């Protein structure tokens, strides 16, 4: 059995997960083919060698229509917001679970990877439905329904599968601190959906500012 330990001392997001899998030996080419099979116009992926604090790593990027993508979440100052002009969120299409299922279902992916991708969205949908007092089928996926985030989830699940990882352990995931601007306004860090999804998983709080762990992560 191949076991992985996720040492997310600075948090985890979908793109960070994929970058780590590529560093661990996953190939980029199968991810490129998978993203192409999603049939999302103007979407492409890239992996760049970068240096952070004199350490080498892989920066995984999703480009949508020639842009660098992005989660749609904006980090705000942890101090009072008076006089601060808030950045605008991305103009993402607001998809429901059925839309996500249709996009992922048409992709050329192993069946187990399709199920894992949908498990991610069903888990997010469940906590979002509870938070907003609606049903999972009626939840509008804002940031997490954007093309770049769908690609992050698909590539993360596929890369983990390609590495043959059967079990994964988390080692104190950093969630960050302060506030974050999302589609529904200013939220605390960790955001409610993230906090609900992290139940039972060891976390680290305080110290690092901003949103360090996203719902998809």
């Amino acid at each position: 059995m191949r076991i992985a330990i996720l040492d997310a001392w600075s948090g985890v997001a979908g793109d960070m997960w994929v970058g780590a899998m590529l560093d661990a030996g996953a190939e980029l080419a199968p991810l490129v083919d998978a993203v192409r099979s999603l049939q999302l116009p103007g979407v492409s992926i890239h992996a760049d060698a970068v240096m952070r604090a004199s350490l080498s790593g892989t920066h995984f990027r999703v480009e949508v229509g020639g842009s660098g993508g992005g989660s749609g979440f904006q980090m705000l100052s942890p101090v009072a917001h008076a006089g601060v002009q808030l950045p605008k969120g991305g103009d993402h299409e607001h998809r429901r679970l059925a839309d996500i299922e249709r996009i992922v279902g048409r992709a050329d992916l192993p069946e187990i990877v399709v199920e894992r991708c949908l498990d991610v969205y069903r888990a997010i949908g469940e906590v979002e439905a509870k938070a907003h007092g609606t049903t999972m089928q009626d939840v509008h996926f804002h940031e997490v329904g954007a093309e770049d985030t769908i690609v992050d989830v698909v590539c993360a699940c596929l890369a983990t599968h390609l590495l043959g990882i059967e079990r994964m352990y988390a080692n104190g995931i950093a969630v960050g601190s302060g506030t974050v601007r999302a589609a529904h306004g200013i939220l605390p860090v960790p955001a409610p959906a993230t906090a609900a999804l992290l139940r039972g998983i060891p976390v680290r709080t305080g110290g690092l500012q901003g949103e360090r762990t996203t719902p998809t992560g």
Side-chain angles (χ1 to χ4, degrees):
M1 176 183 291
R2 176 167 285 190
I3 296 173
I5 298 175
L6 190 69
D7 187 13
W9 61 273
S10 189
V12 58
D15 59 335
M16 296 164 68
W17 188 301
V18 182
M21 295 296 103
L22 292 170
D23 268 346
E27 297 290 336
L28 181 64
L31 306 187
V32 172
D33 291 340
V35 171
R36 188 177 295 118
S37 72
L38 289 170
Q39 303 173 44
L40 295 172
V43 174
S44 61
I45 61 173
H46 307 271
D48 305 314
V50 295
M51 296 291 292
R52 297 289 188 270
S54 297
L55 298 175
S56 62
T58 298
H59 180 203
F60 176 77
R61 296 184 294 113
V62 181
E63 290 196 357
V64 180
S67 70
S71 68
F73 287 98
Q74 301 282 349
M75 175 180 135
L76 299 180
S77 168
V79 299
H81 301 294
V84 177
Q85 185 172 357
L86 301 179
K88 292 177 67 177
D91 297 324
H92 298 310
E93 181 177 348
H94 297 167
R95 295 182 170 93
R96 289 186 167 91
L97 181 60
D99 300 316
I100 305 295
E101 290 174 336
R102 185 181 68 256
I103 293 170
V104 176
R106 72 193 178 201
D108 184 14
L109 294 167
E111 184 177 346
I112 189 172
V113 175
V114 171
E115 283 306 309
R116 284 176 176 168
C117 292
L118 296 181
D119 283 345
V120 170
Y121 274 97
R122 287 165 185 153
I124 295 173
E126 184 177 357
V127 297
E128 290 282 10
K130 185 174 182 179
H132 298 298
T134 185
T135 66
M136 188 161 61
Q137 288 72 26
D138 289 332
V139 165
H140 284 238
F141 292 97
H142 297 284
E143 291 86 358
V144 296
E147 286 92 342
D148 57 307
T149 312
I150 294 172
V151 170
D152 281 345
V153 171
V154 167
C155 289
C157 292
L158 179 57
T160 304
H161 171 73
L162 293 175
L163 286 177
I165 296 172
E166 299 177 60
R167 185 171 296 175
M168 182 170 286
Y169 295 92
N171 183 18
I173 297 176
V175 296
S177 62
T179 57
V180 63
R181 183 184 180 111
H184 295 290
I186 298 171
L187 299 175
V189 172
T194 302
L197 290 165
L198 283 169
R199 284 198 185 102
I201 299 174
V203 299
R204 303 175 190 178
T205 60
L208 300 173
Q209 292 186 0
E211 183 190 47
R212 297 297 178 138
T213 293
T214 66
T216 50

